[in-house]
Amino acid sequence: MENSRYPQFKFTWIGGVILVAGLFAGMMSISFFMTFSKIFFGINVALKDWFIMFSNAVVFLAAIACFDFFVVRRTTGKKLNFNFSPTNFYTYLLIFPLMLGMMFIAEFFTSQIPTTGPVFGDLYEYFGNLMAQLTDDPVVMIITAVIMAPIFEEIIFRGIIQKGLINNGVEPWKAIVFASVVFGLVHGNPWQFVGAVLLGCVLGLVYYKTKSLLLPMLLHAFNNLCSTLLVIYTQKESFAEAFQLSEWIILAIGIVLFSLFYYLFVKKNKMHYAEI
């Protein structure tokens, strides 16, 4: 829409390079900060509880700022801005069960990936140790996974990549899948990749239909909150383990939930809003 208050930027390979450059600049800034603190103050900030939150914020903000300055403002004359409007209550009643259904489906397929053996064993142990660092402090885990990650990741993957591709003439379903695959790849391991791609498709669908970035942020936070609570209160990583159910039962419930609410959300009610 030409008169939209939201910039109608396009996402191309150049935008992708700029995003990566922004991420790299953010990581370099963190490295400089760590070195400076160590040399001049004798403090290893990497051991501080707040460091994970701080470093994630700096890296993501650097990427978003670079894309805003070098792409959005230079091509549209506007600053990067998104629609965060809430929607009607009925829509929430549809999208949260839709998301929960896909969470169950994603859990099933993730459970089929081996966690032992010469290829996957060491990799699973490595990423398990990384996650253990995050889960040492429940407060840090909740702030990082439930608040920060949904905000920053949805801005980049749905708000910038998916929306920019659609603005560039890419078919919506292709843009949704592409953004979801990239979303999965940045998680860096096969177990999170599967879930991130499947859940990313739901997040992308909801954003495309409602045009509000608030909704995928809330759904993303809902998914991460469920995972966080499972780890904190049950020391398990899946619904099947936590509730002592077969993964096949989880899959069946997921398919029923997803199919029903996908039909209600997309087919029956044909939810689709315009961004103004």
Side-chain angles (χ1 to χ4, degrees), residues 198-219:
L198 293 175
L199 296 174
C201 287
V202 174
L203 297 171
L205 172 68
V206 170
Y207 181 47
Y208 172 66
K209 289 293 185 181
T210 65
K211 300 298 185 292
S212 173
L213 201 56
L214 173 65
L215 274 64
M217 284 181 176
L218 291 176
L219 293 177

Side-chain angles (χ1 to χ4, degrees), residues 47-84:
L47 300 178
K48 301 297 183 179
D49 293 338
W50 48 264
F51 180 74
I52 293 178
M53 296 184 293
F54 173 75
S55 58
N56 282 344
V58 170
V59 170
F60 279 120
L61 285 173
I64 295 169
C66 282
F67 189 85
D68 178 28
F69 182 78
F70 291 107
V71 176
V72 179
R73 298 187 187 220
R74 297 195 175 193
T75 59
T76 69
K78 300 178 181 179
K79 65 179 181 179
L80 188 63
N81 188 22
F82 299 102
N83 176 16
F84 295 105

Side-chain angles (χ1 to χ4, degrees), residues 203-245:
L203 297 171
L205 172 68
V206 170
Y207 181 47
Y208 172 66
K209 289 293 185 181
T210 65
K211 300 298 185 292
S212 173
L213 201 56
L214 173 65
L215 274 64
M217 284 181 176
L218 291 176
L219 293 177
H220 194 152
F222 170 66
N223 172 74
N224 289 6
L225 177 62
C226 290
S227 299
T228 300
L229 293 178
L230 281 177
V231 172
I232 292 176
Y233 290 106
T234 70
Q235 285 73 54
K236 305 295 183 181
E237 297 182 357
S238 70
F239 291 101
E241 290 179 318
F243 297 104
Q244 298 182 341
L245 296 173

Side-chain angles (χ1 to χ4, degrees), residues 13-31:
W13 68 269
I14 296 177
V17 170
I18 290 173
L19 270 182
V20 172
L23 290 171
F24 181 75
M27 289 187 288
M28 292 299 294
S29 299
I30 292 297
S31 297

Side-chain angles (χ1 to χ4, degrees), residues 46 51-52 56 121-137 140-141 144-145 186-192 231 237:
F51 180 74
I52 293 178
N56 282 344
D122 292 340
L123 186 63
Y124 185 77
E125 182 179 358
Y126 171 74
F127 282 103
N129 291 334
L130 287 181
M131 291 302 297
Q133 296 177 16
L134 178 61
T135 58
D136 281 343
D137 188 331
V140 172
M141 184 179 182
T144 303
V186 299
H187 281 77
N189 66 82
W191 301 277
Q192 288 183 304
V231 172
E237 297 182 357

Side-chain angles (χ1 to χ4, degrees), residues 20 36 83 139 157 219 253 256:
V20 172
F36 182 85
N83 176 16
V139 175
F157 295 103
L219 293 177
I253 296 173
V256 171

